[in-house]
Amino acid sequence: MKVRELRLVVTAEDYEQALAFYRDALGMPERGAFSSPDGGRVTILEAGRATLEITDPRHAAYIDEVEVGRRVAGHIRVAFEVDDSTVTTDRLEEAGATVVAPPTRTPWNSLNSRLEGPAGLQLTLFQELGSQEDES
């Protein structure tokens, strides 16, 4: 027995805003959309490869310190790998996100920014910069 898919389900008070942000501004393709008899709606967006990152409180604080300079995330933070974290950060800010910290190079050699997105999600955008040996 193995897990076939990780699906993060987010309840958004402003469904249209969240859908426009994650589907249109972030560029997550729509896999399907459904409605309930009472008019409720759900849209499933593709997020590429999914992983579940489990950290202890000390390491979570370390990540916040590196990316933001202080502890800011709750117990859930959503991270998206993007091609260009600077351009994507700017695009998502224009789409309504609040930038908590601009793109910052991390000790693990990625360029990470932190945002507050719709539906109360704290987001990390990360761009892998390659191995540090490649830059020597």
Side-chain angles (χ1 to χ4, degrees), residues 1-107:
M1 185 163 73
K2 73 176 201 174
V3 173
R4 296 189 173 282
E5 177 180 344
L6 170 65
R7 187 171 292 181
L8 177 65
V9 180
V10 176
T11 301
E13 290 297 323
D14 190 335
Y15 174 84
E16 292 297 335
Q17 177 204 25
L19 185 59
F21 182 86
Y22 294 104
R23 182 191 60 200
D24 304 333
L26 187 55
M28 298 173 71
E30 187 173 310
R31 181 196 294 176
F34 308 93
S35 60
S36 56
D38 65 359
R41 297 171 292 163
V42 63
T43 300
I44 300 169
L45 303 175
E46 291 288 338
R49 179 179 61 98
T51 60
L52 178 62
E53 181 176 323
I54 301 191
T55 184
D56 66 20
R58 287 184 307 198
H59 195 78
Y62 171 70
I63 293 169
D64 277 3
E65 183 64 34
V66 167
E67 292 183 4
V68 181
R70 67 189 187 287
R71 185 73 174 123
V72 294
H75 79 286
I76 294 178
R77 175 177 49 85
V78 182
F80 295 102
E81 182 178 3
V82 297
D83 291 332
D84 186 323
S85 59
T86 302
V87 168
T88 306
T89 298
D90 292 345
R91 186 172 69 238
L92 295 185
E93 183 177 30
E94 290 172 10
T98 300
V99 175
V100 177
T104 303
R105 190 178 192 137
T106 68

